[in-house]
Amino acid sequence: DGGYYTVTPDGRPFIARHGAQNAFVCSGMGTFGLMSSPAAGELAALLALGKPLPPHAEAFDWPRKAAVERALDLLDDSA
């Protein structure tokens, strides 16, 4: 057994407030946890400090505001 990974149904992690005003969730990174942890930590810190969030932060909100057809690729700069 190689272990278990937490993954969300749409492949995007949850990085958002959860319940109480001072509770946050940062989970569901799947196999990209080590690679995505610096960006996830930065976003979680902005949330905790009440700072303005970047436009892509909504993609990691919980619960999701809308269903997504495909996973978000933050490294895709073709647009």
Side-chain angles (χ1 to χ4, degrees):
D1 186 326
Y4 299 96
Y5 296 96
T6 57
V7 183
T8 61
D10 61 7
R12 292 179 293 143
F14 294 132
I15 307 169
R17 292 188 178 280
H18 178 1
Q21 184 178 2
N22 61 349
F24 303 90
V25 62
C26 187
S27 180
M29 310 292 181
T31 59
F32 298 105
L34 185 61
M35 293 182 287
S36 63
S37 61
E42 181 178 12
L43 186 54
L46 291 172
L47 279 165
L49 294 171
K51 301 283 185 173
L53 301 177
H56 66 270
E58 187 176 287
F60 306 107
D61 207 2
W62 182 79
R64 301 281 193 238
K65 291 182 174 54
V68 178
E69 293 182 21
R70 64 179 184 85
L72 178 66
D73 184 357
L74 293 176
L75 299 178
D76 182 9
D77 61 356
S78 62

